[in-house]
Amino acid sequence: MTTGEHRDTEREGVIGLSTPTLPAAAATVRARWAVGSALGILHPSAVPLRDGRVRLSTRHDLLNAQVLRSLQEQLTRRAADRVTEDRLLAESVAILGAEVARARGEEPARGATDALDRYLGGPGLSPSQRAEAEAMLQVALAGAAAHDPEAAERLRRIPQPGPVVRTSEIVGTSGLIS
């Protein structure tokens, strides 16, 4: 049994293992990193306040402490599920963008797409970071498409992957050829 796995059942020599998870402390650290990084990307001049709120730009442009706690709790659960750092950051950027838009009285889905566009427009993204951000952008566009014709058009223009060929089909076709 590897670190992080735990036994679900043990009977007659059969051991069932659940999906490995990170210890709570490590997941919390990863979530804090993702939230801090997303704030740095989207609002580099953000200032954390003593009461847990974050000032984004002006003294009236604030993000509620409860919103930040909820974001961190959600990302802690995702980190415990061992999602990659790149995926965790992309999710953090999208959710933070949605929450900032909501706090400003704007459409949250549009906030998520704008945040991901800003992240994707930044310098130095690795191929993995870009792939995760683009995947999250597609999810955000799908959420925004119902209320935003521009998002619907962008979603329509995204190339869809071709059909996936299953191994069983390859083997079956191979048998017919032989």
Side-chain angles (χ1 to χ4, degrees):
M1 194 161 60
T2 62
T3 305
E5 293 177 329
H6 46 90
R7 295 171 191 256
D8 287 336
T9 60
E10 204 174 321
R11 61 176 164 47
E12 297 180 32
V14 176
I15 298 173
L17 297 177
S18 67
T19 303
T21 57
L22 284 177
T28 300
V29 168
R30 289 182 69 215
R32 284 185 183 153
W33 166 82
V35 172
S37 296
L39 273 168
I41 290 165
L42 300 176
H43 302 282
S45 61
V47 177
L49 303 176
R50 286 186 214 163
D51 62 3
R53 296 178 300 166
V54 172
R55 183 178 351 169
L56 300 171
S57 56
T58 67
R59 65 186 185 128
H60 299 291
D61 190 18
L62 301 169
L63 198 55
N64 188 307
Q66 179 56 41
V67 169
L68 286 170
R69 279 192 299 275
S70 295
L71 172 59
Q72 187 168 329
E73 288 169 7
Q74 182 176 357
L75 292 172
T76 297
R77 286 189 299 275
R78 295 292 289 144
D81 290 340
R82 295 186 183 261
V83 297
T84 66
E85 304 286 326
D86 297 338
R87 180 61 177 207
L88 197 63
L89 181 55
E91 288 181 14
S92 184
V93 166
I95 297 167
L96 183 63
E99 292 302 335
V100 168
R102 183 177 285 116
R104 292 175 173 169
E106 300 166 1
E107 181 64 37
R110 184 62 183 256
T113 60
D114 290 348
L116 287 162
D117 283 339
R118 184 169 183 174
Y119 177 45
L120 284 164
L125 290 182
S126 71
S128 175
Q129 290 170 322
R130 181 163 299 286
E132 292 293 357
E134 286 173 349
M136 283 304 304
L137 179 60
Q138 193 164 354
V139 170
L141 287 170
H147 308 288
D148 186 349
E150 181 184 328
E153 178 58 26
R154 283 183 69 188
L155 185 61
R156 188 188 66 72
R157 288 191 316 247
I158 294 175
Q160 299 301 316
V164 176
V165 179
R166 291 185 215 107
T167 305
S168 59
E169 291 174 356
I170 294 170
V171 172
T173 304
S174 158
L176 292 174
I177 296 171
S178 301

